[in-house]
Amino acid sequence: MYAVSGGASGIGAAITATLRERGDEVIVVDIRNADIEADLSTADGCTQAVVELEVRAPDGLDGLVACAGLGILFFEILFADWVDPQSAKEYIAGMILLGVAPCTAMVFVWSQLVKGDANYTLVQVSINDLIMVFAFAPITAFLLGMTNIIVPWETLFLSVVLYVVIPLLAGYITRKRLDNGQDHHEIARFTQKVKPYSIIGLLAMVVLLFGFQAETILAKPLVIALIAIPLLIQSYGIFAIAYGWAYLWKVPFNVAAPAALIGTSNFFELAVAVAISLFGLNSGAALATVVGVLVEVPVMLSLVALANRTKHIFK
């Protein structure tokens, strides 16, 4: 017998159907249209779900599939004794912001490290940009709303315009002005000139982020570890699903590896900026996104190493 949270729709519904097709008994827990209707974003809802599960499965469960969100599972249930409810909501919000922002810059680095198909990587990054332009705000509002965190749409749209649309337009206009002759020499020269400044800007942003959060990071190592746990599970879980699926579909390695890495990586700059805009510089949401920055680079490097070591299985 299995319990599936968030099993009334989406991935949870698909997993429920698969388990039932193979003959397993499944108890669906969701906010509506479920065997157990409970709001898992609240402490009362979690308690209600546990009580009803004990009634329906007196001998225990064979497994639990948490599709209602790793952040909610950990901070509303597993870590509830260590984190106060208000901080828990802010940490969940930060992790949601990280999760809904697909990466558009560092993926070129990860793809290059696994010798991925450059054309595929460019297409995927372009799709990620389009997703963020049209879907970042509604998806963020929906997921935050599921955790009873109401955010102003104006702030979300302004964040998309400032951090996605304007840079895209600036890049397009710059390219059009420099590449009139279609020989790309001017673009290469311009890129070479601005490259050091872009690196300095990125490093400065990371240093400032950790500088502003340094006191909290040093004073609350347990909180940092608690935030890192679901982020690590999410990152390795997404990579395993994408990489394994690509292998089963017999996708070439030079596409499979960057595809899995792109799916795993996050646009942490956008997540941090939106978290600060919505919740403030010293908020739990901002801290969670900074922990995401702290976790992402070593995780992605470990996944690059794993992909390169397993390259032979795709031949």
Side-chain angles (χ1 to χ4, degrees), residues 164-249:
V164 181
V165 176
I166 290 178
L168 277 175
L169 289 176
Y172 175 77
I173 293 170
T174 302
R175 184 179 183 88
K176 291 291 289 184
R177 290 177 66 90
L178 292 176
D179 200 27
N180 288 330
Q182 299 294 320
D183 57 5
H184 307 314
H185 291 310
E186 288 297 322
I187 292 178
R189 188 180 305 160
F190 176 78
T191 303
Q192 196 65 29
K193 285 183 179 179
V194 301
K195 186 176 180 180
Y197 299 104
S198 64
I199 294 173
I200 291 171
L202 178 61
L203 291 175
M205 185 197 73
V206 172
V207 170
L208 288 172
L209 284 175
F210 284 110
F212 285 126
Q213 295 287 351
E215 186 176 346
T216 303
I217 292 172
L218 294 175
K220 300 179 179 179
L222 175 61
V223 170
I224 304 305
L226 294 180
I227 295 172
I229 289 172
L231 292 177
L232 288 169
I233 294 173
Q234 171 188 277
S235 298
Y236 286 111
I238 290 173
F239 181 85
I241 293 170
Y243 198 55
W245 209 317
Y247 171 75
L248 294 175
W249 278 3

Side-chain angles (χ1 to χ4, degrees), residues 298-309:
V299 166
M300 294 305 297
L301 289 174
S302 71
L303 293 175
V304 165
L306 175 62
N308 284 329
R309 288 197 197 100

